[in-house]
Amino acid sequence: RDGTWFHQGSPIGREAMVRLFSTILRRESDGSFVLVTPVEKLTIDVEDAPFVAVEVKSEGEGEGRRLAFRLNTGDIVPA
């Protein structure tokens, strides 16, 4: 729920590992989530959402306004 990733019931403490996993995360057509590597595809449980926006940046005004969100993985996602 809060963006914490777990492995075998324990939080993953290494941010670099979470970032790595976030790059291979895919959502299936049925709504489930999988981690996809060149040799395997692992189903994972996502309680709410796999990422959490921790910061938002707003630029411009009116119809020209743009928002960008920084996720807990460090990725920037424009809206």
Side-chain angles (χ1 to χ4, degrees), residues 3-78:
T4 302
W5 286 51
F6 291 84
H7 179 259
Q8 295 183 339
S10 297
I12 299 174
R14 293 181 56 202
E15 287 185 34
M17 290 298 294
V18 172
R19 273 190 240 112
L20 172 64
F21 290 146
S22 74
T23 65
I24 61 171
L25 180 69
R26 303 289 179 265
R27 190 164 197 173
E28 299 284 85
S29 60
D30 66 1
S32 65
F33 289 91
V34 292
L35 295 177
V36 180
T37 73
V39 294
E40 61 187 336
K41 183 177 182 180
L42 304 168
T43 301
I44 64 168
D45 293 322
V46 175
E47 192 172 79
D48 184 26
F51 308 111
V52 177
V54 295
E55 183 179 5
V56 64
K57 183 177 181 181
S58 174
E59 293 181 348
E61 294 182 21
E63 290 185 27
R65 176 168 290 186
R66 290 188 167 55
L67 298 175
F69 297 89
R70 184 172 58 84
L71 304 179
N72 59 314
T73 59
D75 295 321
I76 305 296
V77 178

